[in-house]
Amino acid sequence: METLEEFDATVTARGSLDGYRVQSVDLTDRTRELLTTPATGAVFLGCPMRENAAAKVRADGALVFPPVPDLPFDPYRGLVYAPDELFASLADGGYEATPDARAYAWFQRTKADRDIYASTLRALHDDAISDALDELLVGARVVGVMGGHAMARGTEAYAGAARLGRELTRAGLTVATGGGPGAMEAANLGAYTAPHDDEVLPAALELLAAAPGFTPSVTDWARAAFEVRARWRQGGLSVGIPTWFYGHEPPNPFASHIAKYFANATREDGLLARCTAGVVFLPGAAGTVQEIFDNATPNYYASRGEPRPMVLVDRAHWTERLPAWPLLRELARERSMEARIDLVDRIDEVPEALKRLGG
């Protein structure tokens, strides 16, 4: 159970909490229910409750993992993040006052101290995020859009990535990105504007161009995004999967659901593994190259079943500047993944390429 509504419904319908897992639900106002409901074998993860209620469920044989005080994040959380949650306090205190920035600062303080307690908290958090992400994406056809953080707002490349995110979302796919700025933000922005009229995306792009990048001010960059969100509400759904490992990359506010991790390796593999309808690789640098071959390896060995489509965009970039395509093509030769890779020149060729490859 991950919400108070689920807790109430279960107690009412079953009259028992035996064997249930209750995850990060505030139960301080459910003392009567806890005192009168059996809880044998239940586990309460980070659920605030009154001491007499905690004593009673422990006496029933339940395990109670209490909330951890003075943390800028909840290691037991039951749901992925929303942009408003990670960017709370942005309007008044700037980015440095947000939960996102405070979680990164905590990570910087603890990541090298070899404290098993801190590393356990990070691992608990990341596992909870993975569980929440799996629940969120049940039944979804997910297409990944990968690309570098350096792609600036106000450029044609950024606009093209946004149009791609919009078209993929309108085709019934769930766009998933690395959740950061640049190409990742553009794809999430396109997904956000998908339910709106076509004129909304150009207008949003014009507003965002006033703050082209997240340097020198993450605050100005994020505020521009929230101005767009405030002007055009009820945006389309998409997923961002960023990491605090790269603290210089804030999450973008256009992903409706944000699964943020401390462990970049867990985040990277999880992002690609969930892209069941294929992955698009826009021009990028080291991170995007890593993602290409992280995705190619399970396709090569068919370790996730049938190879999934991979579409690289910008022939010159992937054959001359960073020649990942020739190596990918050689890896794929005479294997089942050979029919699932493609290289295109322009972003607007991507949807047709995905269809052709079976995505």
Side-chain angles (χ1 to χ4, degrees):
M1 302 176 208
E2 293 150 346
T3 66
L4 199 56
E5 292 74 19
E6 287 179 296
F7 177 88
D8 289 342
T10 300
V11 170
T12 300
R14 298 183 177 274
S16 173
L17 293 169
D18 289 351
Y20 277 91
R21 276 67 175 130
V22 189
Q23 193 172 349
S24 194
V25 178
D26 189 342
L27 299 175
T28 52
D29 291 332
R30 295 297 186 273
T31 300
R32 181 178 61 82
E33 288 81 359
L34 291 170
L35 291 175
T36 58
T37 306
T40 304
V43 180
F44 296 87
L45 297 162
C47 298
M49 64 180 74
R50 302 196 187 282
E51 185 52 44
N52 58 334
K56 183 268 179 185
V57 297
R58 287 193 185 99
D60 282 352
L63 286 175
V64 179
F65 292 79
V68 181
D70 303 321
L71 273 184
F73 63 94
D74 179 2
Y76 305 113
R77 61 179 300 115
L79 304 171
V80 297
Y81 294 97
D84 289 339
E85 183 181 2
L86 286 176
F87 284 97
S89 303
L90 176 73
D92 299 326
Y95 176 69
E96 295 306 315
T98 65
D100 185 68
R102 291 189 289 111
Y104 174 65
W106 177 88
F107 182 37
Q108 288 296 98
R109 291 194 304 270
T110 63
K111 68 180 182 179
D113 62 8
R114 299 186 179 181
D115 181 356
I116 187 66
Y117 179 57
S119 61
T120 297
L121 292 174
R122 293 195 297 269
L124 284 170
H125 170 274
D126 286 1
D127 193 62
I129 287 293
S130 291
D131 179 65
L133 188 58
D134 284 338
E135 292 173 352
L136 174 70
L137 295 177
V138 169
R141 297 178 62 230
V142 180
V143 60
V145 180
M146 311 297 152
H149 67 259
M151 185 182 287
R153 296 167 173 174
T155 63
E156 178 51 35
Y158 184 98
R163 289 192 294 270
L164 174 63
R166 184 178 64 179
E167 183 168 351
L168 294 172
T169 301
R170 287 177 174 176
L173 297 165
T174 298
V175 170
T177 77
M184 297 170 279
E185 180 189 56
N188 287 127
L189 168 65
Y192 184 87
T193 62
H196 296 282
D197 294 338
D198 285 354
E199 310 84 63
V200 168
L201 180 55
L205 291 169
E206 185 175 352
L207 277 175
L208 292 171
F214 63 98
T215 58
S217 173
V218 176
T219 299
D220 291 345
W221 172 85
R223 282 177 175 165
F226 278 99
E227 182 181 351
V228 169
R229 284 168 47 93
R231 186 168 298 192
W232 295 285
R233 299 184 183 276
Q234 297 180 332
L237 304 182
S238 68
V239 178
I241 307 181
T243 175
W244 280 295
F245 183 82
Y246 296 123
H248 61 288
E249 288 188 16
N252 80 74
F254 292 112
S256 58
H257 300 89
I258 301 175
K260 192 155 190 179
Y261 287 85
F262 288 105
N264 186 51
T266 304
R267 165 255 189 180
E268 194 82 60
D269 185 69
L271 168 57
L272 295 168
R274 291 174 174 87
C275 294
T276 53
V279 186
V280 179
F281 298 93
L282 302 178
T288 310
V289 172
Q290 177 181 340
E291 287 164 344
I292 289 172
F293 292 103
D294 279 349
N295 196 59
T297 300
N299 278 353
Y300 181 88
Y301 290 110
S303 56
R304 293 179 184 144
E306 186 71 16
R308 298 168 183 176
M310 298 176 65
V311 180
L312 278 61
V313 181
D314 191 330
R315 190 175 302 273
H317 185 85
W318 295 120
T319 62
E320 298 171 17
R321 286 189 288 276
L322 293 174
W325 172 253
L327 178 54
L328 179 63
R329 186 178 55 194
E330 288 305 310
L331 277 173
R333 191 179 300 279
E334 298 182 356
R335 303 187 76 89
S336 58
M337 68 179 286
E338 187 172 18
R340 295 298 183 96
I341 64 171
D342 202 358
L343 173 67
V344 299
D345 279 318
R346 303 185 314 277
I347 285 180
D348 59 15
E349 298 177 79
V350 169
E352 181 57 37
L354 280 172
K355 292 178 186 177
R356 187 169 60 251
L357 300 178

